[in-house]
Amino acid sequence: MASCPNCYKPMHAQTLDVQLTSHAVDVDACPDCRLLWFDQWESTRLAPRAVLTLFQFIGGATGQSPTPLASRFNCMRCQNALEFTRDRQRTTAFTYWRCSLGHGRLISFNQFLREKNFIRAPSPAELARLRETVKQISCSQCGAPIDLAADSGCSHCGAPIALVDPEGVAKAIRELNSPRSDAQVTGADATRQALSDAQIEALFDRERMRERADHNDLLVVGMRAVSALVGAFLLSR
Ligand SMILES: [Zn+2]
Ligand SMILES: [Zn+2]
Ligand SMILES: [Zn+2]
């Protein structure tokens, strides 16, 4: 069994379909460290259903406090040092660590969500409302506290504040359907609205804010709410 390159505990294996082929691919995940390992196959080639299945997995598996990440990792196959890599798909920039011998790549949950356009910065209106109600949140990358009144990102690791992007998730759900009909395009608006409502409701849930005043990871809260709906969509298609 594969062990996590950060905490060395056994990783959870997820079997997913790869696009353009009938291949299934194993993706290893460590929810504690919020890391994914892709063997050979790049995450850019995952079919929409596989991407949404991973989204749902991340939403359900992510705990409240991330294990801090080391600055260097070794390949799970050859033990060589992984190379830190900056990549770009269309206008989206993201980072990961890859084996120079092509054994695979290690990517954080956050960077995977970024690559798939599943997260975005809060709008000015959302940020104003968050400053009023939540005040302090915790960084979804390193767990450090972020004071919303003073900071617009994590002063410890530099990660920006991120929320689930209902637009991006609705687009992936739309791609499950082919060919597209007018009814499905109208349905996509309803899907986006439902995802957006689920996130807003979770973010501004007064009970949750009272319980977790010192530990508010907005991305985890939003992911949990939205991924429950994504699971329902996957079952219905
Ligand atoms: Zn780990
Ligand atoms: Zn390797
Ligand atoms: Zn941080």
Side-chain angles (χ1 to χ4, degrees):
M1 187 183 282
S3 57
C4 172
N6 189 55
C7 70
Y8 305 106
K9 283 186 268 189
M11 292 181 101
H12 301 240
Q14 289 276 109
T15 304
L16 304 167
D17 289 329
V18 174
Q19 213 161 23
L20 305 173
T21 72
S22 56
H23 279 78
V25 59
D26 281 334
V27 177
D28 295 300
C30 181
D32 291 346
C33 304
R34 303 187 180 180
L35 289 171
L36 298 170
W37 169 266
F38 291 89
D39 248 357
Q40 295 173 327
W41 290 100
E42 298 195 355
S43 57
T44 50
R45 300 182 68 176
L46 293 175
R49 177 170 287 273
V51 171
L52 286 169
T53 302
L54 264 184
F55 179 91
Q56 194 203 1
F57 171 80
I58 291 171
T62 311
Q64 276 292 340
S65 302
T67 303
L69 294 184
S71 53
R72 298 182 66 83
F73 303 103
N74 295 325
C75 173
M76 296 184 15
R77 310 291 165 219
C78 69
Q79 300 305 319
N80 282 349
L82 296 175
E83 287 172 19
F84 182 70
T85 308
R86 291 175 198 278
D87 206 341
R88 178 174 286 277
Q89 190 158 5
R90 297 192 191 92
T91 57
T92 309
F94 56 98
T95 61
Y96 50 86
W97 297 266
R98 68 183 173 88
C99 171
S100 57
L101 299 179
H103 292 126
R105 62 151 106 164
L106 185 71
I107 187 166
S108 69
F109 285 4
N110 279 20
Q111 292 294 325
F112 174 76
L113 296 171
R114 194 170 292 283
E115 177 196 333
K116 299 300 175 193
N117 294 310
F118 286 163
I119 56 179
R120 61 163 171 79
S123 69
E126 284 167 335
L127 203 53
R129 195 173 165 197
L130 287 167
R131 284 197 170 114
E132 240 167 61
T133 53
V134 188
K135 297 187 177 69
Q136 182 173 296
I137 62 170
S138 58
C139 173
S140 59
Q141 188 63 66
C142 74
I146 301 174
D147 179 0
L148 283 176
D151 303 315
S152 56
C154 177
S155 55
H156 184 73
C157 77
I161 299 168
L163 301 180
V164 176
D165 185 357
E167 178 81 49
V169 181
K171 189 163 171 279
I173 291 173
R174 195 158 64 224
E175 283 166 8
L176 287 174
N177 300 305
S178 58
R180 247 195 283 163
S181 69
D182 285 349
Q184 280 161 345
V185 173
T186 313
D189 284 341
T191 303
R192 187 181 52 224
Q193 194 59 47
L195 298 172
S196 175
D197 290 349
Q199 171 164 248
I200 296 289
E201 199 177 302
L203 288 182
F204 297 105
D205 176 348
R206 296 200 172 278
E207 283 303 311
R208 177 188 63 84
M209 282 190 257
R210 257 200 295 276
E211 277 168 28
R212 302 195 175 272
D214 61 334
H215 212 108
N216 256 318
D217 186 329
L218 299 184
L219 189 57
V220 169
V221 170
M223 280 295 290
R224 215 171 270 155
V226 172
S227 70
L229 279 182
V230 167
F233 276 110
L234 286 172
L235 282 177
S236 69
R237 302 291 155 87

